[in-house]
Amino acid sequence: MKAIIKGKIGKNCKIGEGAIIDENVVIGDNNIIEPYAVITGYTTIGDNNHIYSHAVLGSEPQDLKYHGEKTELIIGNNNKIREFTLINPGTEGGGGVTKIGDNNLLMGYVHVAHDVIIGNNCILANAATLAGHVVLEDYVVIGGMTPIHQFVKIGEHAMIGGASAVAQDIPPYTIAEGNRAKLRGLNFTGLRRRFQDRSDIDEIKRAYKALFESGKPIKEVAEELMKSENQYVRHLAEFVLNSKRGIPYDRKV
């Protein structure tokens, strides 16, 4: 079965048999589209991506408020999107765009719902599920079989354990797991891989203890930490102050 190609395709792309690329799709250079992948809707894909068999990108959002309006899916460069992954475009009520950055790995059966924003260098293990309006900053790792509740935000360098259920915001640099997921500490493995200056890790560690282990009101601590000279501490504090769904940690009396 020949591929059906109606959209705009860049240079040096390899498209497998049975793949479907609809008319409003724009694909950049050096992409590999494996057999029977479907790319539809107003979808734009950058360069050097590998999209595996039976992935479906750009199909209508699974949202009853969606009524066929023009919305987009934008995917960056150097991503691996594995078998049977489903990625929906945005909705009018959510800004109209689902966006995935660069250098991400989405393993098999991952679902990325409408209006989700994924940064760069993230890993979503098999059957991870992002509901609508979820935001992942850079270098986030989501374990397999883990659902993320709509409107949740997960900070950079955070790691979520497999088979967890995340219903609240997870701050940068932390580890969370469980059903319902709670903070379990800092993601030291991820931090040591990415941070050259170990003093930054020490500052983050002190900030984490002040926020989540001191027993003091978390917002008050975050406001104090905003005065820090360390950019990562300020980002952690800003994340806490801007959280809409709250932070899932064990409050000490």
Side-chain angles (χ1 to χ4, degrees), residues 78 115 129 133 207:
N78 305 305
D115 305 294
T129 302
H133 313 277

Side-chain angles (χ1 to χ4, degrees), residues 43-171:
T43 296
T44 301
I45 298 174
D47 301 331
N48 303 305
N49 297 283
H50 193 164
I51 298 166
Y52 286 74
S53 295
H54 300 283
V56 179
L57 313 183
S59 59
E60 289 189 0
Q62 298 178 92
D63 185 336
L64 293 175
K65 297 185 296 296
Y66 179 77
H67 295 295
E69 61 271 19
K70 177 184 175 181
T71 58
E72 295 183 86
L73 168 61
I74 300 174
I75 297 173
N77 306 313
N78 305 305
N79 296 288
K80 290 185 181 296
I81 298 174
R82 296 302 305 250
E83 293 85 353
F84 294 96
T85 291
L86 171 62
I87 307 177
N88 297 138
T91 62
E92 186 176 32
V97 178
T98 297
K99 189 171 184 180
I100 296 174
D102 303 332
N103 306 306
N104 298 290
L105 169 59
L106 279 61
M107 297 187 192
Y109 293 91
V110 163
H111 177 217
V112 177
H114 59 87
D115 305 294
V116 166
I117 305 296
I118 297 177
N120 305 312
N121 302 291
C122 295
I123 299 173
L124 280 66
N126 294 293
T129 302
L130 308 187
H133 313 277
V134 166
V135 175
L136 305 187
E137 295 183 343
D138 297 342
Y139 292 101
V140 170
V141 178
I142 308 293
M145 305 292 289
T146 290
I148 312 295
H149 195 281
Q150 59 260 42
F151 294 100
V152 160
K153 184 175 183 180
I154 299 180
E156 63 181 27
H157 296 278
M159 182 174 183
I160 313 299
S164 297
V166 181
Q168 292 179 281
D169 297 335
I170 305 301

Side-chain angles (χ1 to χ4, degrees), residues 6 34 88-89 92 99 147 215-216 230:
K6 299 179 181 179
E34 297 280 10
N88 297 138
E92 186 176 32
K99 189 171 184 180
K216 297 179 181 178
N230 187 282

